[in-house]
Amino acid sequence: MTKLSTYEAAMAAYEPVLGLETHIELDTGTKMFCGCPTAFGAEPNTQICPVCLALPGALPVANRAAVEATMKIGLALNCRIAEWTRFARKNYFYPDMPKNFQTSQYEEPLCEDGYVDVAVDGDHYRVEIERVHLEEDTGKTLHVGGATGRIHGATESLVDYNRAGIPLVEIVTKPVPGAGDLAPEVARAYVTELRDIVRSLGVSDVRMEQGSLRCDVNVSLNRAGDAWGTRTETKNVNSLRSVERAVRHEIRRQAALLDSGEKIHQETRHFHEATGETSPGRSKEEATDYRYFPEPDLAVMEPDREWVERLRSGLPELPRKRRERLRAEWGLGELEMQSVVNADAVEIIEATVAAGASPTAAVKWWLGELSRRANETGVELGELRIGPEQVAELQGMVDDGRLNDKLARQVIDGVLADEGGPAEVAASRGLEVVSDTGALEAAVDEAIAANPDAAEKIRGGKHAAAGALIGAVMKSTKGQADAGAVRELILSKLG
Amino acid sequence: MDDRIIDRTAAGLAADIREGRATSRSVTEAFLDRIDAVDGEVGAFLHVDRDGALATASEVDAALAAGEELGPLAGVPVAVKDIVVTGGMPTTAASKILEGWIPPYDATVVERLQAAGTPILGKTNLDEFAMGSSTEYSAYRRTANPWDTARIPGGSGGGSAAAVAAKMAPLAIGTDTGGSIRQPGAVTGTLGAKPTYGSNSRYGLIAFSSSLDTPGPVARNALDAALLHEVISGHDPRDSTSIDAPVPPVAEAARSGASGDLSGLRLGVVEQFAEGAGAAEPGVLDAYLAGVDQLVKLGAEIVEVSCPSFSYALPTYYLIAPSEASSNLARYDGVRYGLRSGDDGRRSLEEVMGLTREAGFGPEVKRRIILGTYALSAGYVDQFYGRAQKVRTLIKRDFEATFEQCDALISPTTPFTAFKYGERTGDPYQMYLADLFTIPTNLYGGPGISVPVGLSDGMPVGLQVMGPVMGDDITYRVASALESTQDPLLADTAPEIEGK
Amino acid sequence: MARLARLEVTDDELDAFAGQLDVILESMQTLGEVDTDGVEPTSHAVPLVNVFREDQPQPSLPRDAALAGGPDTAEGRFRVPRILDDEE
């Protein structure tokens, strides 16, 4: 059992330093070095050719669109685009890598020295980017015979090379100190921002759940004033929420080790979604020596400045600017907008507004009730089984007086349970505001009769006492009355 | 004996076929029959594709009968070194690790041969993965030198050279990384040309050293080689290192060289090649110098040039080539194709990969993989691979400076004639010396040709002509001019192999 | 080195190689004599720049052809023995 400090104790004693390596699969039509298609979910080994299967004699030719997409990412991350850059071979043996070397970049990445600004709780952090380089993805290995589909305990493995050779952009941050106890949130905010930037560029669908955005999280701890500590690298952290959890867990785990005088090993660790914990990878007897050398099968690249400037001027509105625009359009305060961003709800709220809801209502639902539901079930907002159209429809029913907030929440229950759209759920569950005036009047009369003291106070001008009567009416109508209408009815009868 | 089909030149056979004096089928059959008769003794082929070759021949005959215009070598059969990928035909690189592999695609060179209507007779033997200078490192069979079957045919392309020398094929495809076309050409009395790097596609050429490998022609004379050169040359968008420029007019150069006039041409002799332990043995030197005299008589001017970095070409090559090879050969792991060894259901993948590579690779390949792995490893990469790349720059500069002073360089192709089997296998370094004069050109990237120039103790000697990048035509012109002084051509005087 | 190159080499082979490699490495050491200060390394025989292909799909291999060379295949995939390394 892993010893863990409490997060508060860890933060009282240590300062974390973060580092993030993000891999993004580009959604070019073809692979990095051959003309094979890149569709997700194809039958195994149907999108492979002599080049990406590394048949003897086959040679790579670089995909111009992938190089261009990488430069766009670099430009959007405020990087310098290299005037001279090349591919290099990273040599190591692994069965999902057909050539047993990965064509990557080494000392001369395509883009260098950029930054991304993120905001958490009103504070701004600049995450500096060390490099953005282009490489190729590996195939996928299915482990057979083990209990969990994991490598451990498997008796054999089956390899599918469809993914092998898909262009992969690696974005590496410089070490990020100074985030303090917000380190987990800063890590998450960075990955979110990066994802939104890349999505706005239209060069990747950046879907973490499909593995087109994958994150390796580096964490180290040091006491204030000391040199940075030894870092661990947690591999393949594949959701925004997991990024935050992985950082938090590593901080607590490392703090406990340091507290008891133990050393942190520089190692690769794995993140487990189910438990939110990390576990060590198999430690190697010797450090891997990748024996990088320049790829002799590919020409060097010299992106001319005219090309770079054309790409720069063609960049779309980036998320930061877009958020400023939307904030103004929606009439939100800065902190409120930040909450929207941190909840990863910009897109979804924009879509909800587009579907007809007012910005205020859209923000209220997504940041309130729906965020709560997402948290409860441990999913992202986008993964909830209710979408922007349905939320707009729901709000329309509220605006029309057919639902009140309480009923609307019950309708959400139904939608989340796949019972249909809001209107269907309201109908099938019988969730409608009682608008039959006769029935409502009867309920009000009944409440007045049952609460003579309150009624007397209202007659005496104490309108605040109406609350008790409204409560009684709502109770007797099982919440299906419009509270405003009930109030008016009570006041008119007792006024 | 000149009536035999197999004695005729490729150019002559092409004309016969084109003009209706012979059919491609009859010509192809003649060479297939010759293979049947003598290859048991020579051992040049690893695979003979009688049916495929005859099918192509018949197609050519039908196309000609229908009045179609075909290329200049249509109907003339070719042998292909077994490191060039042939779809549907076994391709082994003479290695156990690829035993039984049938490629699902064709090399660009092979596609171009097919488009040119040249029937493919089969696949020729080589040193495993083209690593060697004697073809003794083939995992499958020994290839004899047709001039003396107790001797090696050179390497790595000993099979292609021996096939042409023994008239089992009028033409063959070779590949040259450090001399593997030219050195076998020299020791078998055939003509071998290494084209400018990048002018011939490497797509489908099983990689040994990516920055050095070049496919090229083997023939018995310069014009035949030039015709084949033009068939396989030219830009290929599937090879990123392929040069997008017109192919030098090599056939035209071979024809003009045949007039025997080299006046106005300056040929450089490299001072450093005459020095040290690697200098040519006396018999080789005599034959070579006699050839130089002939070139002077034809009007060439000889100038001495200095290329100080050439003294370091051999170690430079033996760092760069094994480094690239160690990476290129990593893919042979028993997962996607080829041999798998030791998979008993209990061993891990890592163990099985190791056992597969142990069982599948021969000693020279292992030696070079280890050498290359070492040269690239952390702590040594600057001292070895990195330094070799810098010295390579100096060698290129020496060439470039030299071509300011002369049109081409000449040298013996190899320091010694064909040696006896087993003479050098125990001492890899002695074997490496065979490529002493051919390696610099590979490091530079320019063209080199080896043309038969004479005999030493009855064994052929080659003269090498080295040109500037994309100056392949000059090398053909000199080779062709030298041939014009021989009657009969040296290549046609090989002892007859009786066979069965 | 053999392990890095994933070669299971026998002890006899290793002994032979060691001696041979010494001779070769001795020759390599002579490169140390060359003054290479300020010299750019050459990684390509003929320098070309910006060689790209357009993002146009080409046919992949039919799956049967792609798998045909595999020593062991199952369920449309290449089967391999259990993997020790825990690196994904």
Side-chain angles (χ1 to χ4, degrees), chain A residues 193-266:
Chain A
E193 182 71 7
L194 184 63
R195 187 201 57 179
D196 292 349
I197 289 171
V198 173
R199 182 176 289 156
S200 76
L201 296 171
V203 297
S204 168
D205 54 10
V206 280
R207 292 167 77 160
M208 293 186 90
E209 73 280 9
Q210 286 189 359
S212 58
L213 188 158
R214 311 196 282 272
C215 221
D216 301 341
V217 177
N218 292 301
V219 177
S220 71
L221 295 182
N222 59 275
R223 290 188 184 279
D226 285 0
W228 292 345
T230 304
R231 66 187 166 85
T232 61
E233 181 177 21
T234 305
K235 289 271 194 193
N236 293 324
V237 186
N238 290 335
S239 75
L240 294 172
R241 190 163 162 270
S242 300
V243 168
E244 193 175 327
R245 292 167 82 206
V247 173
R248 196 175 297 274
H249 177 81
E250 268 306 284
I251 287 174
R252 294 176 63 193
R253 188 187 67 84
Q254 291 186 21
L257 284 174
L258 293 170
D259 283 345
S260 57
E262 288 177 60
K263 278 194 170 144
I264 307 298
H265 297 287
Q266 180 159 353

Side-chain angles (χ1 to χ4, degrees), chain B residues 86-465:
Chain B
T86 43
M89 200 190 299
T91 302
T92 65
S95 178
K96 287 283 177 204
I97 212 153
L98 278 176
E99 188 160 22
W101 183 55
I102 311 284
Y105 81 105
D106 279 319
T108 297
V109 165
V110 172
E111 279 184 359
R112 290 185 178 174
L113 291 176
Q114 284 162 348
T118 62
I120 294 175
L121 296 167
K123 305 299 287 291
T124 58
N125 200 16
L126 65 150
D127 288 298
E128 183 178 5
F129 285 102
M131 296 177 186
S133 305
S134 65
T135 314
E136 289 168 287
Y137 292 127
S138 166
Y140 295 106
R141 73 188 300 190
R142 161 175 157 165
T143 300
N145 189 321
W147 291 75
D148 177 351
T149 53
R151 291 175 188 269
I152 57 99
S156 66
S160 280
V164 171
K167 298 177 178 174
M168 290 184 279
L171 297 166
I173 298 294
T175 66
D176 194 311
T177 304
S180 288
I181 290 176
R182 291 161 290 161
Q183 184 262 0
V187 302
T188 60
T190 54
L191 183 140
K194 175 203 108 66
T196 295
Y197 179 92
S199 68
N200 283 8
S201 172
R202 290 186 297 116
Y203 190 79
L205 188 65
I206 296 181
F208 158 19
S209 178
S210 310
S211 76
L212 301 164
D213 298 340
T214 311
V218 181
R220 292 204 317 278
N221 68 74
L223 179 61
D224 285 358
L227 291 170
L228 182 57
H229 186 127
E230 291 191 351
V231 163
I232 61 173
S233 267
H235 180 242
D236 178 11
R238 290 180 297 189
D239 175 357
S240 303
T241 61
S242 171
I243 298 171
D244 192 359
V247 177
V250 291
E252 189 190 311
R255 287 197 183 94
S256 81
S259 70
D261 181 9
L262 291 180
S263 52
L265 205 70
R266 292 161 69 94
L267 298 176
V269 174
V270 180
E271 185 188 312
Q272 283 74 14
F273 278 165
E275 292 172 348
E281 63 186 23
V284 169
L285 207 55
D286 289 347
Y288 161 72
L289 291 174
V292 175
D293 284 346
Q294 294 287 350
L295 294 172
V296 170
K297 281 186 193 144
L298 297 172
E301 184 189 345
I302 304 296
V303 294
E304 186 162 296
V305 294
S306 179
C307 297
S309 305
F310 281 22
S311 311
Y312 302 98
L314 197 70
T316 299
Y317 174 87
Y318 277 99
L319 286 168
I320 289 172
S323 294
E324 293 182 0
S326 70
S327 175
N328 284 331
L329 270 60
R331 68 187 59 191
Y332 305 101
D333 60 5
V335 174
R336 291 159 300 280
Y337 42 78
L339 181 76
R340 178 183 292 181
S341 186
D343 184 6
D344 60 359
R346 293 194 307 276
R347 289 195 178 99
S348 70
L349 174 69
E350 288 76 3
E351 290 171 282
V352 171
M353 273 190 190
L355 290 169
T356 296
R357 291 163 65 79
E358 159 66 10
F361 290 141
E364 182 62 18
V365 170
K366 286 179 193 160
R367 203 149 41 223
R368 297 206 198 184
I369 288 175
I370 291 173
L371 189 60
T373 302
Y374 179 72
L376 287 172
S377 63
Y380 296 100
V381 62
D382 291 340
Q383 177 189 353
F384 289 120
Y385 177 76
R387 184 162 272 270
Q389 280 198 312
K390 291 181 176 179
V391 178
R392 185 174 184 180
T393 304
L394 296 176
I395 290 167
K396 279 175 71 117
R397 285 185 192 165
D398 278 354
F399 269 107
E400 283 157 5
T402 297
F403 291 127
E404 300 286 312
Q405 304 163 53
C406 60
D407 300 296
L409 299 177
I410 53 171
S411 75
T413 306
T414 177
F416 34 79
T417 57
F419 46 85
K420 290 210 164 77
Y421 278 97
E423 218 174 83
R424 289 177 191 249
T425 40
D427 186 347
Y429 191 73
Q430 284 303 309
M431 186 77 91
Y432 296 169
L433 288 176
D435 296 332
L436 196 62
F437 302 145
T438 46
I439 277 172
T441 294
N442 295 85
L443 292 169
Y444 161 54
I449 211 166
S450 175
V451 53
V453 68
L455 298 177
S456 166
D457 282 337
M459 292 305 291
V461 173
L463 180 143
Q464 178 182 221
V465 189

Side-chain angles (χ1 to χ4, degrees), chain A residues 354-423:
Chain A
S358 72
T360 317
V363 170
K364 182 194 77 179
W365 283 120
W366 286 111
L367 291 200
E369 184 62 20
L370 294 172
S371 283
R372 196 174 60 76
R373 303 294 185 107
N375 273 337
E376 277 170 11
T377 44
V379 299
E380 308 288 336
L381 285 180
E383 294 167 308
L384 285 176
R385 307 191 69 85
I386 185 168
E389 297 278 345
Q390 292 165 328
V391 172
E393 184 185 340
L394 184 77
Q395 180 60 32
M397 293 169 73
V398 173
D399 291 343
D400 294 345
R402 291 159 63 200
L403 292 178
N404 58 23
D405 276 13
K406 188 181 170 202
L407 289 177
R409 284 197 290 274
Q410 291 175 35
V411 170
I412 288 171
D413 289 338
V415 177
L416 292 178
D418 282 340
E419 290 170 18

